[in-house]
Structures are given as structure tokens and as C-alpha cells.
Amino acid sequence: MITALAPVRWFREFGRPPRILGLDIARGLAILGMAGAHIGEMDSFDWLDPATWTDLVNGRSSILFAVLAGISIALMTGRSALPERERIPSIRLNLVGRGAVIFLIGLALEMLNTPIAVILTLYGLLYVAVIPFLRWRPWQLLAGAAVLALLGPALLAFLSAVMLVPYGSGIGFVLYGTYPITVWLALVLGGMALGRLRVGEVRTALAVLGIGLALAVVGYGLGGVGQAMGASGSAASSSFVDEGSEGASPRSGWEGYPQALAETDPLGAALSAVFAVDPHSGGTAEVLGSGGFALMVIALCLLLSRPLRWVLLPLGALGSMPLTAYSVHVLSIVLIGGPGAFFSSNAFWAATAGGLLLGATLWSMFFGRGPLERLVGRGAAAMAAVPRR
């Protein structure tokens, strides 16, 4: 029931343990960053020009969102303790239900026909993809994330070249689209490892800050080397022969395969995937560099959430309902520009940020959880309640 004391109680209680306010703040930044990547006007990033620093939101915001998803999965399945074996069946069903609802929300947003590469469909799939890793220890999760980050992009690029750029709805969705599964599962596994390591403690945040800085230096340094070598393109190499280009060799059947393969460069594609660092390139350098950047953001949010709690509460409120906020943002683009419209405006980005912060704060004060978060929770509970034989 709504009362006049609700705001007072909210300011006093919101974000207190067991909730970790710093994670909500980081999630709020991810939402605002993704909104900026969708509708903001910005020049290419240049360290020496602060006016270009808003370009940092491109690619990195969605990576931050993915790492936070892994942390959330770890927190909801046992926090620093591995879930008991007897709980695993119900946890699996809970994650399947949660992922299914998120996937459907993503499909609904895609049907609005915006130019946005909606992340929620893959986000829902990841809730199912992590099921085999629920009882992995932090070092095992980190090892799995490292293998995917270091070998996944190169392997995908190599296979794409050898198979002459395979295509299909499934392949485009999970392997060679905007969000390749190797990249995003690596980020989620890394987030799960962090979620198992008492993420709310100050010493953990300080360690994560140092690790994130080291990863960012390695990743962006690797990308810089690749740019100097001219080998920092997309992980899905664009150097293959185009069927519609002049002099293209035949692609159908084994008869034309040797010549078509000879005109590609599988090893070059794999090398390019290692050094790819541009936003959404899906390369090893991007995973390490932007993943490290995400860890630094999370660590700083955890550290600042205590001394700056009152100032950062609106960001925390926004981050407590990311599905609702993301969906409202996408819907607002349709309402302003119409289906299929593409436009960019920093004024609209600022208005979106202000509206989301105000709306999320008021909703959290008077109603608690976001409406779509409630829907996802109900879907997860309904799935977990399915009788098992």
C-alpha cells in the first residue's frame, strides 16, 4: 500500500544488505550507456580529447551488462557458496523460466522494428547456457572464461573462413551476429566467478579494480599492436570472397571448394580475431580490454556506493529494474521516431537518462521491483514449480 512515509523508508532502506547497492549502480550505468550507444551523437574516442570520451559507452556498456548478469546469476544461486546438489534441479528450472521470459521480452522489442541490436534475446539464452556451470568453483569459471576469450574468437573466425562464411538463422544468432556466444558466455562466466568471491567486500572490490586495470592494459595494448600490424578487424573476418563481387569463385558443391578456400585466408582471419578490439568486433582484445574496463567500473561503483550512497541512489534504483528500463528506452525510440526510424540526439539521450532515473526512483519508492522484473520472477517461479518425475 502506498503511504506518505514510503519515500522516507526507501531512502533509509533501499540498497542495504543483503542487496549490494554498488552492483545496482553499475547496472544503472550500463543501461544509460547502452541508451547512449543507441541514440547518442559522439566522435571516435581519443584519450587526448575529453569531448570524445562519451564514445566509451559503445560496446563497453553491453559488456558491463553481461558481466553483471553473471554476478547476478551467482548471487541468486548461492552467493559465495556453491548451490547444494539437491537444489540444482529447481535452480535449473528457475533459470530456464527466467531465460524464457527475458527471451520473449527481447523478441517483443525486436518486433518494434528499431535499429537497435536488442541484447535481451541472447541474454535470455545465456541463462540457460550457464546451467552446466552452476557448481563450478571460481577458478574453474575463470579458466572457462579465459579459454573462451582467448580461443573462441580465433576458432570462430577460422571455421567461418574454412566453411566459406556459413549462414543460417541459428548461426547468425549465436555465432556470427552482434553478440557471438563465445564472447558473451566468457563475460558471464567471469561475472559468475566474481559473484562467488564475496563481491560486496571492500577488499574484493580493490582486487577487482587492479585486475580490471591489468586486463584493460593487456587487451587494449593487444588491440594497439594489431592496429599497427593492420590486423585488428572484426573477429568475423570480412576478407572472404563475396558471391556478388566481380570474379567471385563458385561457392556451391565440392567442385569449387578448393579454389574458393584458396582465395580465403583462414589463418589471417584467426589472427585478425585475436587483435580485434573495436566495439562489437568480438575479438580477444575486445573481450580482455572491455571486460577489464567493466571490472573497473564495477569495482568503483562498489567502493563509491558507501560514501556516496545518497547521491547514487537514483542510479541504484534504475539498476534494480534493468529489463523495465531497457524496454522503456527501446519503446521511447519508437514513440519518438516511429517504426524503423534511425536518429541520434544527445538531447534525447539526456532526456532519456533523466526520465529513466526519475521514473525508476519513483517506481522503486512506491512499488518496489520493476514490472518486468516481477514478470520474470513469476515466470521463473512457475517453471520451478513444475512437478518433476
Side-chain angles (χ1 to χ4, degrees):
M1 184 176 65
I2 299 176
T3 67
L5 294 177
V8 176
R9 184 170 61 252
W10 183 85
F11 275 105
R12 185 175 62 247
E13 299 177 358
F14 179 78
R16 300 294 188 187
R19 193 169 192 94
I20 302 175
L21 180 61
L23 297 179
D24 284 331
I25 293 169
R27 205 174 289 111
L29 288 175
I31 293 295
L32 297 183
M34 285 191 287
H38 298 154
I39 60 178
E41 298 174 313
M42 55 199 72
D43 297 321
S44 297
F45 179 77
D46 182 356
W47 280 110
L48 302 178
D49 185 2
T52 67
W53 290 1
T54 53
D55 188 52
L56 284 171
V57 301
N58 281 319
R60 297 169 186 86
S61 300
S62 51
I63 283 179
L64 173 59
F65 198 56
V67 175
L68 288 164
I71 296 175
S72 297
I73 291 171
L75 294 179
M76 74 176 65
T77 58
R79 291 186 172 250
S80 58
L82 297 181
E84 298 85 358
R85 292 187 182 276
E86 56 269 20
R87 289 185 57 221
I88 291 296
S90 63
I91 291 176
R92 287 173 181 161
L93 290 174
N94 185 292
L95 290 174
V96 169
R98 190 174 298 272
V101 177
I102 294 172
F103 183 87
L104 291 175
I105 293 172
L107 285 182
L109 294 179
E110 289 182 350
M111 292 181 68
L112 295 176
N113 192 26
T114 68
I116 294 174
V118 175
I119 194 175
L120 295 186
T121 45
L122 180 77
Y123 193 64
L125 179 64
L126 287 171
Y127 271 85
V128 179
V130 300
I131 287 176
F133 311 103
L134 290 175
R135 283 186 51 80
W136 280 28
R137 301 185 183 279
W139 70 267
Q140 292 173 308
L141 292 167
L142 290 174
V147 169
L148 285 173
L150 297 175
L151 301 181
L155 178 61
L156 280 185
F158 180 84
L159 291 176
S160 180
V162 170
M163 298 305 296
L164 306 180
V165 196
Y167 65 92
S169 56
I171 287 175
F173 178 54
V174 299
L175 295 182
Y176 298 114
T178 305
Y179 306 111
I181 192 72
T182 53
V183 172
W184 299 91
L185 184 57
L187 296 165
V188 171
L189 292 181
M192 287 179 65
L194 178 55
R196 296 278 187 233
L197 294 174
R198 302 185 185 277
V199 67
E201 296 184 357
V202 172
R203 61 180 180 178
T204 302
L206 291 173
V208 169
L209 182 61
I211 293 171
L213 177 61
L215 287 175
V217 170
V218 171
Y220 293 128
L222 192 64
V225 171
Q227 289 176 344
M229 296 170 53
S232 61
S234 170
S237 176
S238 59
S239 61
F240 313 125
V241 176
D242 190 334
E243 288 182 81
S245 63
E246 185 177 352
S249 56
R251 290 291 184 89
S252 59
W254 290 109
E255 181 180 351
Y257 179 78
Q259 180 184 353
L261 181 60
E263 294 176 358
T264 68
D265 183 10
L267 293 179
L271 184 64
S272 178
V274 172
F275 292 104
V277 73
D278 293 334
H280 293 296
S281 60
T284 297
E286 186 198 12
V287 178
L288 296 178
S290 296
F293 179 84
L295 290 179
M296 288 193 292
V297 171
I298 292 170
L300 289 173
C301 289
L302 290 168
L303 294 171
L304 295 175
S305 63
R306 290 178 172 85
L308 299 181
R309 179 177 181 272
W310 299 103
V311 177
L312 297 176
L313 277 178
L315 264 177
L318 177 61
S320 72
M321 51 187 78
L323 292 178
T324 299
Y326 184 91
S327 301
V328 168
H329 157 59
V330 175
L331 182 60
S332 71
I333 293 177
V334 177
L335 295 177
I336 297 296
F342 177 79
F343 62 93
S344 58
S345 167
N346 284 340
F348 185 41
W349 180 16
T352 297
L356 288 177
L357 288 168
L358 178 61
T361 300
L362 292 175
W363 184 280
S364 181
M365 277 182 182
F366 294 105
F367 302 104
R369 296 175 69 192
L372 292 186
E373 285 69 25
R374 292 176 186 269
L375 178 63
V376 170
R378 290 191 184 117
M383 180 62 75
V386 173
R388 297 183 296 276
R389 295 182 179 180

